[in-house]
Amino acid sequence: MAWTPLRYQPLKGLYLAYLAVTFFLIRVPLWYLWFLRQKNRPRASWSISKCIRVMAYRELTTLPVKLGLNSRYPVPKSDDELKDARVVWVDGLAEDSPAFCGDVRSFASTAGVQPARIPAYWFLKPGTFPPKDMKAQAGERTVLYIHGGAFHLGSAHPRSHASGIAHGLLAHSKSLTRILAVEYRLSATKPDTPANPFPAALLDCIAAYQYLVKDLGFAPYNITVTGDSAGGNLAFALVRHVVENNIPGLPRPGRLLSLSSWLDLSFSRETPDASSVRNFATDIFSTSRSNRFGGYAMQAYLGPLDRGEAKTNRYISPVSLFINPDGGYFRRFPRTFVSAGDAEKILDDSLAVAERLMADGVEVTVDVVPDAIHDFMVFTWHEPERTEALKRVCKWLDD
């Protein structure tokens, strides 16, 4: 890759210093002046501050791959390091586990992936005190949250960037007092050391769901599997696995919550009227052709699998145009809430999955938020869209 030298000192430090100086002394002032005229703003409703933040994130999204930055938080040694949260360890699926089955087991064999023990974090509503053994209370509802990050970034840690969703759901829900966020394994590819291709992260999510049901005693119908961006992809894959395999003692969850989910790694809808084209200049992803959204992520996630899997594998790209929409691949899915921003590049993924779910008889609620960017619920500054959308989601969750 052209930027590999910037992954090493002293070039990395010099480049970061250059970015900091030019960002605050040149780019931000120029953006401010440019966006003073409302007609120059990507969306007319956006404030100058929101415009500048979107531009800033557009720059930042290229840095992890370019500089080899690590987005993971160290696992706490004790809960004393956390506020309104607890860390737990989830055992990987046993070799003879009924849940380690079907196509996912076959994919794991092909990729050379094994189940692994992983950390997870309980987010707690302030002022609540779950039992020390974390067992489910009678009738208790919970959420299994799977964070985004293009399969190679992000963390479930309560201080991470992605924690805004879990904190937001707890703040606005009347029925939830805790949420489990899974710290699944992240994928990597060259120039990093290749690691954890599909289905490593999916195996971790299946294990976390099994932990809730079998170890803690949560009724499956009281669990909402939730994911944003790439985490939404994993959420759909997790639900698909339990629906298609009829695993003893592990029924489907009661609900599925999709937040700006990335569901087509093949980008099969890149036509002139597609959201990827229409919203090219209104989202947080780089507009540079050399930093195309998803390039590194797809290579890392697929690992040794054939590139064609991004087109035809229903666990990886369930809304790809290369997969027959009349195949009934979403039958028996639980009731689903699909949220997305109408300014995001992969809006079509959310619209397509809602259409396919409804075609297969699934009860679906669709909430496309005007002028909202990709994964807007993560960003506490994306108001009032974020709070209004969270309230709608939580009304659905509490119903």
Side-chain angles (χ1 to χ4, degrees):
M1 291 179 66
W3 289 103
T4 298
L6 293 180
R7 290 168 159 252
Y8 303 98
Q9 300 294 0
L11 289 180
K12 179 191 282 190
L14 291 171
Y15 184 71
L16 287 172
Y18 160 78
L19 283 181
V21 171
T22 58
F23 181 81
F24 289 106
L25 297 183
I26 299 176
R27 296 189 185 195
V28 171
L30 288 177
W31 287 334
Y32 180 84
L33 292 173
W34 176 252
F35 293 130
L36 276 174
R37 300 186 68 183
Q38 193 169 34
K39 73 173 187 177
N40 291 336
R41 300 175 192 179
R43 291 292 172 111
S45 70
W46 288 2
S47 65
I48 295 176
S49 173
K50 187 174 290 185
C51 291
I52 291 175
R53 289 176 186 271
V54 170
M55 295 296 290
Y57 272 93
R58 195 174 291 170
E59 298 291 327
L60 293 173
T61 55
T62 67
L63 295 183
V65 174
K66 187 183 292 185
L67 302 179
L69 302 178
N70 181 12
S71 61
R72 272 280 153 96
Y73 282 73
V75 180
K77 295 181 180 179
S78 76
D79 293 335
D80 295 336
E81 300 177 36
L82 303 172
K83 180 181 180 182
D84 296 320
R86 293 185 187 177
V87 61
V88 295
W89 285 89
V90 176
D91 290 331
L93 299 175
E95 178 66 23
D96 59 353
S97 169
F100 190 22
C101 64
D103 287 338
V104 171
R105 186 175 187 119
S106 177
F107 297 142
S109 177
T110 300
V113 167
Q114 294 293 325
R117 186 169 182 256
I118 54 160
Y121 296 93
W122 279 109
F123 287 65
L124 310 177
K125 180 170 285 191
T128 62
F129 302 94
K132 290 184 177 180
D133 61 5
M134 304 305 286
K135 295 284 187 178
Q137 304 300 290
E140 183 180 4
R141 297 183 182 184
T142 194
V143 165
L144 174 59
Y145 172 57
I146 307 170
H147 71 81
F151 304 109
H152 67 101
L153 297 169
S155 174
H157 193 285
R159 290 198 298 271
S160 73
H161 179 69
S163 67
I165 289 177
H167 287 307
L169 293 176
L170 286 174
H172 294 286
S173 171
K174 297 177 181 178
S175 62
L176 295 173
T177 59
R178 52 176 166 156
I179 289 173
L180 183 70
V182 55
E183 190 79 300
Y184 60 83
R185 287 170 285 177
L186 298 179
S187 300
T189 191
K190 294 179 180 179
D192 299 299
T193 303
N196 304 322
F198 173 84
L202 177 55
L203 289 174
D204 299 341
C205 295
I206 296 169
Y209 182 64
Q210 179 174 266
Y211 163 77
L212 286 175
V213 175
K214 293 194 172 182
D215 294 359
L216 300 190
F218 280 93
Y221 57 79
N222 282 330
I223 299 173
T224 299
V225 174
T226 300
D228 63 296
S229 194
N233 183 300
L234 290 167
F236 274 94
L238 164 58
V239 172
R240 180 175 304 284
H241 178 69
V242 297
V243 165
E244 292 187 354
N245 290 286
N246 296 313
I247 302 165
L250 204 64
R252 73 179 190 181
R255 305 181 192 215
L256 173 59
L257 173 56
S258 168
L259 307 174
S260 295
S261 294
W262 183 23
L263 301 172
D264 183 5
L265 274 65
S266 70
F267 298 100
S268 62
R269 287 176 174 78
E270 288 198 335
T271 58
D273 62 341
S275 61
S276 59
V277 176
R278 188 173 67 251
N279 295 335
F280 182 73
T282 62
D283 210 351
I284 55 174
F285 301 111
S286 173
T287 56
S288 168
R289 296 295 180 185
S290 63
N291 290 307
R292 185 175 183 270
F293 167 67
Y296 177 96
M298 186 180 72
Q299 297 294 330
Y301 195 54
L302 290 181
L305 294 180
D306 185 270
R307 304 301 97 170
E309 294 290 328
K311 295 181 178 181
T312 60
N313 190 316
R314 66 193 185 283
Y315 280 86
I316 294 173
S317 296
V319 301
S320 166
L321 290 175
F322 295 97
I323 295 177
N324 180 9
D326 300 321
Y329 294 123
F330 292 94
R331 288 175 189 157
R332 297 193 295 122
F333 266 58
R335 59 188 297 196
T336 302
F337 191 108
V338 176
S339 171
D342 90 328
E344 64 173 293
K345 291 178 68 174
I346 60 170
L347 169 61
D348 285 349
D349 288 20
S350 292
L351 298 178
V353 80
E355 182 180 346
R356 293 191 180 191
L357 284 162
M358 286 186 269
D360 284 340
V362 178
E363 180 185 337
V364 183
T365 300
V366 181
D367 189 33
V368 177
V369 181
D371 294 339
I373 61 173
H374 177 69
D375 222 356
F376 66 96
M377 287 192 201
V378 166
F379 305 111
T380 55
W381 50 264
H382 206 305
E383 296 292 354
E385 296 86 1
R386 176 180 180 269
T387 294
E388 291 173 352
L390 280 168
K391 287 180 178 179
R392 290 191 293 272
V393 167
C394 288
K395 182 179 180 181
W396 177 81
L397 286 172
D398 294 338
D399 179 28

